[in-house]
Amino acid sequence: MDVRRRQQDRRAATRRILVAAARTLFAQKGYAATSTPEIVKAAGVTRGALYHHFADKQALFAAVVEEEHAVLALTIHQAAEGGEDEPGPVKALIRGGEGFLAAMQDEGRRRMLIVDAPAVLGRAMVDEIDARHGLRTLVEGVGAAIEAGAIKDLPPLPLAHLLSAMFDRAALAPADEINEYRKVMKALIRGLKK
Amino acid sequence: MDVRRRQQDRRAATRRILVAAARTLFAQKGYAATSTPEIVKAAGVTRGALYHHFADKQALFAAVVEEEHAVLALTIHQAAEGGEDEPGPVKALIRGGEGFLAAMQDEGRRRMLIVDAPAVLGRAMVDEIDARHGLRTLVEGVGAAIEAGAIKDLPPLPLAHLLSAMFDRAALAPADEINEYRKVMKALIRGLKK
DNA sequence: TAACATTACAAACATGCAGCATGTTTGAAT
DNA sequence: ATTCAAACATGCTGCATGTTTGTAATGTTA
């Protein structure tokens, strides 16, 4: 075995530690209030390393958001594994929403993905990222429901976007009102039935 | 009559010109990319004046957002004056949404109210501001529809929030897809009928 | 109306950050 | 062992924010 760190390992390790440190700080204090000196101090590297790996602060944030989206999608997917009783497509949509809301209980995650990301990266890039993760499965779920004839025949992508927007807002709701939001969301989705 | 400008007038005039200049720049380039030297240069005053009238850059932005929300609400209200055929409460909701989308055709307005405001001011303050303007009328519209028994009995405020989130996302949709979004929105609202 | 007080700004200052340019170390290839 | 490139580290520059200090205009009181 090779005790020496290879270049690739070294590179990957530095990148990982940077993204991890950045994630913590961005989650705690938001993008604007987090400085790059702060990040590199937490990561135990210098700003030179940061700007060697990322074009700028925004690119680092994009990497964090990308990863967070991936983790989020995985979390929701795993949670969905539980109920293996093959529910109808509408019920599946509702369950997916529940999983999303549960995974979104993390304040920092909400801040980064819903509040900061659109302002910092722009809607276009956020859409791109989301299209690779959560939104993709939502579009599939909606499409399945439509093809099964379970809900009205509507363009899947806009519908998925609108549902996604509603889930986002519900996730941002005050903790003590979240159950009301859940109820309303269910009603809205059920209203799509034929 | 008094040719001299009173303090109040002077104060109000400076404040107005600052907010106006800020609005233009925030709308064009976004909050982060707009500097205070830029703003005061456009306004024809110095940064001293800005920091005399506003606690910080964020407070100035809050003033701009507040005003923009007021103008937006007025615009929608005036547009709604047109069709005086007393539509049902559900149709009224749909028409309100149409009015919102029409008023949101302005790119700068979208950027400030939907993208930047939540990140810069935080959800809490945005909700406060919105509660004084657009959201208020939406809650009333929803409440009216519920009391009239036209739609399902659901908590009005969460429902209004979710609808508002939907409208926001629709407003951000690519221009060539907006009609599809309109269709889906209509379907979602109609699905609320009993 | 004269002296004083307050408001509304202007100008200069202090601090901190982002991005880049240049230097140094580490690793790999020959 | 030498050479070269990648992976960092260090230092510098310009700029933005917020604060402090100074000044002129306005308002108030004796």
Side-chain angles (χ1 to χ4, degrees):
Chain A
M1 45 199 144
D2 203 342
V3 185
R4 294 175 321 195
R5 307 266 298 280
R6 303 272 191 79
Q7 287 275 55
Q8 265 195 334
D9 303 341
R10 192 183 167 200
R11 176 176 183 80
T14 302
R15 202 192 132 98
R16 259 199 310 273
I17 201 179
L18 269 170
V19 171
R23 200 231 98 112
T24 301
L25 289 166
F26 285 148
Q28 278 175 3
K29 328 191 338 179
Y31 177 84
T34 302
S35 67
T36 55
E38 224 175 340
I39 294 171
V40 298
K41 188 182 169 192
V45 297
T46 66
R47 298 183 61 247
L50 195 164
Y51 282 91
H52 177 70
H53 283 276
F54 301 94
D56 50 21
K57 187 185 171 188
Q58 181 183 323
L60 172 58
F61 182 67
V64 170
V65 168
E66 175 86 44
E67 192 182 289
E68 193 70 14
H69 258 291
V71 172
L72 171 65
L74 192 67
T75 303
I76 296 175
H77 182 72
Q78 285 176 340
E81 291 293 302
E84 274 295 349
D85 54 337
E86 191 68 34
V90 173
K91 197 117 200 172
L93 283 177
I94 292 174
R95 285 206 189 159
E98 301 280 351
F100 176 81
L101 289 183
M104 273 298 177
Q105 282 312 101
D106 185 282
E107 153 108 36
R109 182 173 275 175
R110 287 196 296 263
R111 174 171 227 157
M112 289 190 295
L113 298 188
I114 306 182
V115 178
D116 278 352
V120 175
L121 305 177
R123 283 186 318 95
M125 188 179 293
V126 168
D127 277 358
E128 257 180 54
I129 295 174
D130 201 12
R132 285 196 289 273
H133 302 106
L135 189 63
R136 209 175 64 81
T137 65
L138 183 53
V139 170
E140 288 169 8
V142 165
I146 292 174
E147 283 184 30
I151 65 175
K152 294 171 189 166
D153 190 14
L154 294 164
L157 204 110
L159 176 53
H161 265 286
L162 292 181
L163 290 177
S164 171
M166 287 194 303
F167 284 128
D168 284 354
R169 183 73 62 108
L172 292 178
D176 57 321
E177 299 176 17
I178 203 167
N179 274 324
E180 293 193 313
Y181 277 83
R182 257 198 271 264
K183 253 182 74 174
V184 178
M185 290 280 329
K186 268 193 206 171
L188 277 160
I189 294 177
R190 290 228 179 84
L192 285 172
K193 285 189 194 171
K194 274 190 183 169
Chain B
M1 46 201 147
D2 202 342
V3 185
R4 294 175 321 196
R5 307 269 296 281
R6 304 272 193 78
Q7 288 271 54
Q8 264 193 331
D9 302 342
R10 196 183 163 197
R11 177 176 182 79
T14 303
R15 201 191 132 96
R16 259 199 310 272
I17 201 179
L18 270 170
V19 171
R23 198 228 99 109
T24 302
L25 289 167
F26 285 147
Q28 279 175 2
K29 328 192 333 176
Y31 177 84
T34 302
S35 69
T36 54
E38 225 175 338
I39 294 171
V40 299
K41 188 182 169 190
V45 297
T46 66
R47 298 182 58 247
L50 195 164
Y51 281 90
H52 176 70
H53 283 274
F54 301 94
D56 50 20
K57 187 185 171 188
Q58 181 183 324
L60 171 59
F61 182 67
V64 170
V65 168
E66 175 87 44
E67 192 182 291
E68 194 69 14
H69 257 292
V71 172
L72 171 65
L74 192 67
T75 303
I76 295 175
H77 182 73
Q78 285 175 341
E81 291 292 301
E84 274 296 348
D85 54 340
E86 193 68 34
V90 173
K91 196 119 200 170
L93 283 177
I94 292 174
R95 286 207 188 159
E98 301 280 353
F100 176 81
L101 287 184
M104 273 297 177
Q105 282 313 100
D106 184 282
E107 154 107 36
R109 180 173 279 174
R110 286 196 296 263
R111 173 170 228 159
M112 289 191 295
L113 297 188
I114 305 182
V115 179
D116 279 353
V120 175
L121 305 177
R123 260 270 126 217
M125 188 179 291
V126 169
D127 277 358
E128 259 181 52
I129 295 174
D130 201 11
R132 285 196 289 273
H133 302 107
L135 190 63
R136 210 175 64 80
T137 65
L138 183 54
V139 171
E140 289 168 6
V142 166
I146 291 174
E147 283 185 29
I151 66 174
K152 293 170 188 166
D153 189 14
L154 294 166
L157 207 115
L159 177 53
H161 262 103
L162 291 179
L163 290 177
S164 172
M166 228 172 56
F167 289 135
D168 284 355
R169 183 73 63 107
L172 293 178
D176 57 322
E177 299 177 17
I178 204 165
N179 275 324
E180 291 193 316
Y181 278 81
R182 254 198 273 267
K183 253 182 75 173
V184 178
M185 283 186 23
K186 270 193 205 171
L188 276 161
I189 294 177
R190 290 228 179 83
L192 286 171
K193 285 190 194 171
K194 275 188 184 171

